[in-house]
Amino acid sequence: MGASLPPKEANLFKLIVKSYETKQYKKGLKAAEAILKKFPDHGETLSMKGLTLNCMDRKSEAYELVRLGLKNDVKSHVCWHVYGLLYRSDREYREAIKCYRNALRIDPDNIEILRDLSLLQAQMRDLTGFVETRQQLLTLKPNHRMNWIGFAVANHLCSKYFVAKAVEILEAYEGTLEDDYPPDNERCEHGEMLLYKVLLMHIIHVREKHGLFKELCLLQGIKSVVLISLLEECGFLERALEELHKKEPKIVDKLVSKEQEVSLLVKLGRLEEGANHYKALLAMNPDNYRSILCLLRIPLDFLQGDKFCAAAANYIKPLLTKGVPSLFSDLSPLYDQPGKADILEQLILELEHSISGDGRYPDRTEKEPPSTLLWILFFLAQHYDRRGQYDIALSKIDEAIQHTPTVIDLYSVKSRILKHAGDLVAAASLADEARCMDLADRYINSESVKRMLQADQVALAEKIAVLFTKDGDQHNNLHDMQCMWYELASGESYFRQGDLGRALKKFLAVEKHYADITEDQFDFHSYCLRKMTLRAYVDMLRFQDRLHSHAYFHKAAAGAIRCYLKLYDSPLNSPAEVEDNTSKATQKKKMKKQRKAERAKKEAEEKNEGSSASGTSKSGKRHIKPVDPDPYGEKLLKTDDPLSEATKYLKLLQKNSSDSLETHLLSFEVNMRKQKILLAFQAVKQLLRLDADNPDSHCCLIKFFHKVSSMPAPVSDAEKLVWSVLEAERPSISQLHEKTLSEANKIFLGNHEDSLMHRAAVAEMLYTLDPTKKLEAVKIIEDSSNKIVPTNGALGSVMEWKLKDCIAVHKLLDNVLIDTDAALRWKVRCAEYFPYSIYFEGSRSSAVNNSLNNLDTETPLNGGANGPDIIQSGNAFTSNGKLEAFKNLKI
């Protein structure tokens, strides 16, 4: 490195490298220019200067200099290494790997290049190459602990068949230690390595059980916690418990020992002993929430009948007296167990009756504080909200508000109840009322924003959301904070309003966050090996491998696909959209002027800030954020092929969310539009595999074969092949075996005649197969009956129909069957079932409530519902008093 230079310039070259490593880029640049004055064609110096300029955000110059340096000295491993570092900085990892390999051809034993190559191989999951590189590093430097650990981890990650080799590597490393024990300053890291070895032993034992590692049968010497964990994983719980008791004196980590013992006891059904051990764990660590939760909730999970009721009473009473708002959230998993919700309802109603009467719990002499009744009502409101009995839920929460009007949680819960009942505007207003009661609470602020977005009050929601962001470009701060729930809710709101550009902008922003999270793992490849956090490192890699199966990514990708489908079905520049764009032109001009002024002010402030803020730092690097060139997503809408864009995200969903019904529904819609018949048929088969009785699966099945039957006879060889595949596959579909599509549709109705959504699906398919039968299709829907769900509840009744399903049916009547009279009849009918629904203009909704008369003349926000007035005072937003009407909304 710099060997072809005279001593003085060689020292300057070393200074360049040191300055790059210490991020003193100006100093390094000055040294490079000093060398190039005497040796203007020195390839390695040109490359290092380019690398330095790249760190100063001068990328075009950087690439030019690095390529020139490589041209002047193509046999220099330094030039190739620098070229790889340049590609790596731009996330061009495959190109970087090529450059590193070229560098290693010149200098095959360069440890620094091998280390950099191994990091990229781990990032790109080139695990075979990762093993080879790590083995070479260990061979070159066997006295370095990180090389042993890296080689073991590489074997573990590479294949399930190499796990045994990973254990052998760790055992070989332990053999290199004096007295089989590390130095005092490495005991913590050594402990982490041993725990990682336990993890590997778990895997080996499981593989052995399944016949994959028979060669490990002679493996001996598994001690204490290791053997116990292996036995537990294989289901040999009794033997695991015996081994734990036998080896307990030799186990240093008593906390882990106790946790494993109580886990085994609970799995063996020895619950009383388990409870005693949990008490011991709490004595060791009183703040261990998991121990507290397990100790208190274990009986409620397995007890039934009267025993459950008694245990629930003992658990609930102290928390109601103390006033724990999260009590219902804590108990909500019990609602999934049959009968327990009814028992809880009876229990809480008895407590309410007793407290309301003499202020005491049943069978107690001491009086309860007045707040106990408040929290009982609070619990009951959430209970009836969960069961869909919104009238009773609202009456309980109103009673609680009348009892103590200053408790913020009451307004938040009432907002949630109204949201579930269908009054999104009133829900948003109540959530904002709660926010105004505590302007310093970020959670309440976020909940208010969420309710406003659900009510399509996007502009107002954004004003409220940025109250908790940093000063400056507040909207971009939300993006920088990776506030995905906000971006998803905004995108869904824009989509509902038909603003596809902004909707796409929000959905793709979430996709960008996941790409950033994927890139963020890069720094941990070296850090975790160095710090020996191996179990966490492996968990992180597994998490990254399934990252795109996360619910937020699924929502964002599905939202983007729906936008592209809508864009394909209704391309831009239609007459209606041209008129709409013209009407918005004036508003956009005004907003552009305002944004330009704000941007100029911001840039002026950034220039005056110190080196620690934006501006030029000591390293010479600028931190000014680029201006968004497409804030409204207009460029995203100008794509020439929306279906190709949709396919990009569809492939990610198919890879990472293959068990989601929505994934294959979207696949069906995309591929039917692309005329990809076999891919669409594959989506249909996946839908039938996941849930053949689902109404959407039935619709896709009928639509597909109806479309195929209307296609012209095949002409080309490819078309004939597709046709032959479909003819061969159709008999294997039980729903269509020896049946016409109409017969299959009738049978589906007979199997699900009591379900509203199934009847709607049958009606839609009847109309699709024969448009002349529209009246019969409408009759199938209108003959549906809203039955009472059988419960043992003490108050009211729960109806079977859900609000979202009824809205979907109304849209089907109005937009697909195109029967405005039937749609109106359905709306009137559903308004009785859902009196708080704004969509159906229910009698108790804010859409017809007299308390909203004073809002009727206000300007709508973003084309959505009218929003409440918010008056800005200093840096906070406060209510103007009009929201008080929602608090008093009665049934």
Side-chain angles (χ1 to χ4, degrees):
M1 186 169 62
S4 60
L5 293 171
K8 180 180 178 181
E9 282 71 22
N11 290 331
L12 283 175
F13 189 86
K14 292 179 181 178
L15 178 62
I16 299 172
V17 176
K18 184 178 179 181
S19 300
Y20 168 75
E21 292 173 347
T22 57
K23 300 183 179 181
Q24 295 177 316
Y25 302 124
K26 283 189 175 181
K27 188 176 181 181
L29 188 60
K30 185 176 180 181
E33 290 172 348
I35 296 175
L36 292 174
K37 284 182 180 178
K38 293 184 178 181
F39 303 95
D41 296 329
H42 188 252
E44 294 181 356
T45 303
L46 287 168
S47 296
M48 285 303 302
K49 181 181 178 182
L51 187 61
T52 303
L53 290 174
N54 179 64
C55 297
M56 300 173 71
D57 287 342
R58 295 162 65 178
K59 286 192 177 293
S60 59
E61 297 177 64
Y63 273 97
E64 184 179 348
L65 284 170
V66 171
R67 286 167 180 157
L68 179 60
L70 185 61
K71 181 180 179 182
N72 292 343
D73 195 355
V74 74
K75 293 185 178 181
S76 168
H77 71 277
V78 174
C79 293
W80 281 109
H81 190 191
V82 168
Y83 202 16
L85 291 174
L86 200 61
Y87 274 124
R88 191 185 78 178
S89 69
D90 288 338
R91 301 179 178 179
E92 296 285 346
Y93 295 136
R94 298 194 185 280
E95 294 299 321
I97 288 175
K98 292 178 184 177
C99 294
Y100 289 160
R101 291 197 180 279
N102 286 331
L104 289 172
R105 289 190 183 99
I106 301 167
D107 187 3
D109 295 335
N110 189 298
I111 290 179
E112 187 176 352
I113 300 175
L114 284 169
R115 189 184 302 116
D116 287 346
L117 176 60
S118 72
L119 300 181
L120 289 183
Q121 289 169 330
Q123 178 77 7
M124 300 301 294
R125 302 298 191 270
D126 177 12
L127 299 178
T128 303
F130 186 39
V131 171
E132 294 173 356
T133 305
R134 275 294 165 186
Q135 184 174 18
Q136 191 173 354
L137 280 167
L138 179 59
T139 304
L140 292 172
K141 205 169 183 180
N143 59 343
H144 197 328
R145 180 189 67 188
M146 185 174 172
N147 290 337
W148 286 94
I149 304 305
F151 188 36
V153 171
N155 278 275
H156 174 201
L157 296 174
C158 183
S159 172
K160 59 188 177 185
Y161 301 104
F162 290 176
V163 180
K165 187 174 181 180
V167 175
E168 293 174 1
I169 295 166
L170 293 177
E171 291 176 342
Y173 167 68
E174 289 182 86
T176 65
L177 302 175
E178 294 184 5
D179 300 326
D180 197 28
Y181 210 79
D184 290 343
N185 61 345
E186 295 182 1
R187 289 186 179 181
C188 181
E189 288 83 355
H190 186 72
E192 282 291 328
M193 188 209 72
L194 293 177
L195 290 172
Y196 177 64
K197 185 179 176 184
V198 170
L199 173 66
L200 296 179
M201 291 289 192
H202 283 179
I203 299 171
I204 291 174
H205 204 86
V206 172
R207 301 300 179 196
E208 182 186 75
K209 182 183 177 184
H210 292 284
L212 298 176
F213 283 100
K214 291 184 179 179
E215 71 274 11
L216 297 175
C217 290
L218 299 178
L219 185 64
Q220 299 295 329
I222 303 175
K223 299 179 180 179
S224 60
V225 177
V226 179
L227 180 56
I228 294 159
S229 300
L230 296 178
L231 293 171
E232 180 180 349
E233 181 143 355
C234 293
F236 305 125
L237 303 180
E238 289 285 0
R239 285 184 57 193
L241 191 59
E242 291 175 7
E243 187 70 19
L244 179 64
H245 291 155
K246 182 179 178 181
K247 301 291 186 181
E248 186 176 6
K250 298 182 179 180
I251 297 176
V252 177
D253 195 336
K254 300 301 181 185
L255 182 61
V256 171
S257 174
K258 289 289 184 184
E259 288 177 345
Q260 266 193 306
E261 184 176 5
V262 71
S263 175
L264 290 168
L265 288 170
V266 172
K267 290 177 181 177
L268 287 168
R270 295 158 63 174
L271 301 173
E272 291 185 6
E273 294 180 61
N276 293 330
H277 280 71
Y278 271 124
K279 292 176 182 177
L281 284 172
L282 284 175
M284 297 173 68
N285 183 6
D287 295 325
N288 190 324
Y289 178 75
R290 186 173 63 178
S291 297
I292 297 172
L293 185 65
C294 291
L295 177 62
L296 297 178
R297 284 292 309 282
I298 283 175
L300 301 182
D301 287 331
F302 68 84
L303 291 176
Q304 301 291 333
D306 294 338
K307 291 183 178 180
F308 169 78
C309 185
N314 293 332
Y315 178 64
I316 290 172
K317 288 177 183 178
L319 299 180
L320 290 175
T321 301
K322 188 177 180 180
V324 178
S326 60
L327 176 60
F328 180 80
S329 299
D330 185 26
L331 295 178
S332 59
L334 298 175
Y335 280 65
D336 296 328
Q337 300 183 28
K340 290 192 175 181
D342 296 332
I343 295 175
L344 287 174
E345 180 176 334
Q346 294 285 353
L347 171 63
I348 301 299
L349 286 174
E350 288 177 6
L351 296 179
E352 180 194 23
H353 178 74
S354 179
I355 294 295
S356 300
D358 56 10
R360 299 181 179 88
Y361 284 137
D363 303 327
R364 288 194 184 180
T365 57
E366 65 274 12
K367 283 197 171 186
E368 292 293 315
S371 61
T372 302
L373 178 60
L374 167 71
W375 296 112
I376 290 175
L377 294 170
F378 184 71
F379 185 96
L380 284 172
Q382 296 174 88
H383 166 82
Y384 287 115
D385 176 44
R386 170 72 179 256
R387 307 195 77 170
Q389 297 171 273
Y390 304 120
D391 285 347
I392 304 175
L394 285 170
S395 69
K396 294 297 181 183
I397 201 64
D398 284 335
E399 189 177 346
I401 291 174
Q402 187 176 4
H403 182 282
T404 310
T406 57
V407 178
I408 300 175
D409 293 308
L410 303 179
Y411 300 91
S412 297
V413 166
K414 185 172 182 179
S415 169
R416 198 174 304 126
I417 295 170
L418 287 171
K419 188 259 290 189
H420 295 156
D423 197 338
L424 301 178
V425 173
S429 301
L430 271 166
D432 192 70
E433 188 80 355
R435 179 191 68 82
C436 293
M437 296 173 72
D438 187 356
L439 297 172
D441 193 313
R442 181 193 291 267
Y443 173 78
I444 297 176
N445 185 84
S446 298
E447 188 166 345
S448 175
V449 170
K450 189 174 182 179
R451 297 286 176 263
M452 291 174 181
L453 291 173
Q454 290 166 347
D456 292 339
Q457 301 171 0
V458 183
L460 182 58
E462 185 175 325
K463 290 179 182 178
I464 303 300
V466 298
L467 293 176
F468 280 86
T469 60
K470 298 177 182 178
D471 294 335
D473 192 351
Q474 296 172 323
H475 188 269
N476 281 341
N477 277 330
L478 289 170
H479 177 77
D480 295 339
M481 291 163 63
Q482 295 186 341
C483 192
M484 288 185 273
W485 69 264
Y486 172 81
E487 289 170 326
L488 284 172
S490 298
E492 290 165 357
S493 178
Y494 283 129
F495 182 81
R496 287 192 297 268
Q497 299 176 61
D499 192 341
L500 297 183
R502 293 192 191 187
L504 265 177
K505 187 81 174 175
K506 295 297 183 182
F507 290 137
L508 298 187
V510 175
E511 190 273 337
K512 175 67 165 54
H513 295 325
Y514 279 86
D516 292 340
I517 293 172
T518 301
E519 299 301 330
D520 289 343
Q521 70 176 299
F522 184 84
D523 293 333
F524 291 95
H525 297 310
S526 59
Y527 175 85
C528 291
L529 294 180
R530 188 172 68 252
K531 293 294 184 180
M532 298 288 285
T533 55
L534 305 178
R535 292 174 299 134
Y537 175 58
V538 173
D539 288 343
M540 184 270 293
L541 294 180
R542 302 303 188 205
F543 165 77
Q544 289 284 352
D545 290 340
R546 61 179 185 272
L547 177 66
H548 290 87
S549 62
H550 193 272
Y552 275 5
F553 179 82
H554 182 94
K555 290 179 181 178
I561 293 170
R562 289 197 306 270
C563 288
Y564 284 121
L565 289 175
K566 193 170 183 179
L567 184 61
Y568 175 82
D569 294 338
S570 304
L572 293 179
N573 298 325
S574 64
E577 287 172 326
V578 170
E579 182 179 352
D580 183 63
N581 291 336
T582 304
S583 66
K584 293 180 180 178
T586 306
Q587 287 184 350
K588 286 187 178 181
K589 288 181 181 179
K590 292 180 180 179
M591 294 179 69
K592 283 182 180 179
K593 289 181 180 179
Q594 184 179 356
R595 287 195 302 272
K596 186 176 180 181
E598 291 175 352
R599 191 161 55 246
K601 181 180 179 182
K602 212 176 304 175
E603 290 175 353
E605 291 174 351
E606 288 171 341
K607 290 180 181 178
N608 294 329
E609 288 177 355
S611 60
S612 62
S614 59
T616 305
S617 65
K618 293 180 181 179
S619 64
K621 186 173 180 179
R622 300 282 295 179
H623 298 287
I624 299 176
K625 296 177 183 177
V627 178
D628 187 353
D630 188 25
Y632 299 104
E634 294 170 350
K635 293 182 180 178
L636 295 173
L637 297 179
K638 294 180 181 178
T639 176
D640 295 329
D641 192 353
L643 294 182
S644 294
E645 296 295 325
T647 304
K648 295 178 184 177
Y649 302 102
L650 177 61
K651 288 180 178 179
L652 287 171
L653 289 182
Q654 289 173 323
K655 179 180 178 181
N656 299 283
S657 300
S658 58
D659 290 334
S660 169
L661 207 68
E662 185 180 23
T663 296
H664 303 294
L665 289 172
L666 292 171
S667 175
F668 176 79
E669 296 295 338
V670 170
N671 288 304
M672 286 296 284
R673 287 168 173 81
K674 294 175 70 175
Q675 300 296 317
K676 301 288 185 180
I677 301 301
L678 287 183
L679 291 177
F681 182 59
Q682 185 182 49
V684 171
K685 292 187 69 175
Q686 291 293 333
L687 289 169
L688 296 176
R689 176 185 66 86
L690 291 173
D691 189 356
D693 291 329
N694 188 279
D696 292 324
S697 301
H698 174 72
C699 287
C700 290
L701 175 66
I702 301 298
K703 284 180 182 178
F704 177 79
F705 282 102
H706 178 64
K707 174 69 175 178
V708 169
S709 65
S710 63
M711 294 172 61
V715 177
S716 65
D717 292 339
E719 291 175 346
K720 292 179 180 178
L721 180 61
V722 170
W723 202 267
S724 64
V725 170
L726 296 179
E727 288 182 341
E729 288 286 339
R730 176 163 177 164
S732 65
I733 300 175
S734 60
Q735 291 85 347
L736 299 180
H737 184 60
E738 297 182 353
K739 305 180 189 74
T740 65
L741 296 181
S742 296
E743 291 172 345
N745 201 38
K746 289 180 180 178
I747 294 173
F748 190 78
L749 175 61
N751 294 336
H752 306 281
E753 60 182 357
D754 294 331
S755 169
L756 172 63
M757 294 309 295
H758 287 82
R759 295 180 72 93
V762 169
E764 182 181 359
M765 291 305 98
L766 178 63
Y767 178 73
T768 300
L769 295 172
D770 187 356
T772 63
K773 295 185 177 181
K774 182 171 76 171
L775 294 178
E776 183 179 346
V778 170
K779 188 175 186 301
I780 291 175
I781 294 176
E782 293 186 332
D783 286 347
S784 305
S785 58
N786 190 7
K787 298 181 179 179
I788 298 176
V789 177
T791 63
N792 297 321
L795 292 177
S797 58
V798 182
M799 306 305 291
E800 187 176 49
W801 289 0
K802 304 299 180 184
L803 175 60
K804 64 176 183 178
D805 293 340
C806 291
I807 292 175
V809 171
H810 180 266
K811 291 180 179 179
L812 171 67
L813 291 169
D814 198 21
N815 301 328
V816 179
L817 300 182
I818 315 177
D819 191 329
T820 55
D821 293 336
L824 181 59
R825 292 194 300 270
W826 184 258
K827 185 175 183 179
V828 172
R829 183 180 179 183
C830 290
E832 297 178 2
Y833 295 136
F834 306 100
Y836 297 96
S837 170
I838 284 185
Y839 184 89
F840 292 119
E841 298 180 2
S843 59
R844 299 174 187 173
S845 71
S846 58
V848 295
N849 195 284
N850 292 332
S851 64
L852 288 181
N853 287 339
N854 57 350
L855 298 179
D856 289 341
T857 59
E858 300 204 9
T859 304
L861 294 166
N862 294 295
N866 290 342
D869 284 344
I870 298 294
I871 300 174
Q872 188 171 4
S873 176
N875 292 326
F877 288 87
T878 58
S879 168
N880 65 351
K882 293 181 180 179
L883 302 179
E884 197 69 23
F886 292 107
K887 185 176 68 176
N888 299 320
L889 188 63
K890 299 291 184 179
I891 60 172

